[in-house]
Amino acid sequence: MNWDQIRGNWQQAKGEIKTRWGKLTDDDLDVIAGERDKLVGSLQEKYGITKEEAEKQVDDMQ
């Protein structure tokens, strides 16, 4: 699934994202709103990982 599809199906994607990254809250997901860069930034903040690692994890989701 590419990010256009994720953005278009954000309500469905939120469930998978919450399962994969449980530290992200509903409020976090509302702010992210299907934007890849915002998801990467939130993962960096919540999990204390590098941007590269967060991007890798997000890319592995697709």
Side-chain angles (χ1 to χ4, degrees):
M1 203 176 343
N2 67 38
W3 274 96
D4 289 331
Q5 291 173 315
I6 290 171
R7 199 173 8 252
N9 295 309
W10 184 240
Q11 293 304 315
Q12 293 85 357
K14 285 182 1 179
E16 180 181 342
I17 289 169
K18 282 181 70 171
T19 300
R20 188 173 284 221
W21 297 292
K23 291 183 182 180
L24 295 176
T25 65
D26 287 333
D27 288 341
D28 293 329
L29 295 174
D30 288 342
V31 169
I32 292 165
E35 298 296 324
R36 182 182 182 280
D37 291 341
K38 289 181 181 179
L39 176 57
V40 168
S42 292
L43 292 176
Q44 286 179 262
E45 181 182 323
K46 297 283 185 174
Y47 288 90
I49 58 178
T50 65
K51 181 177 182 179
E52 291 77 17
E53 177 59 28
E55 288 176 335
K56 180 184 181 309
Q57 288 183 24
V58 169
D59 290 344
D60 288 347
M61 182 181 91
Q62 300 178 19

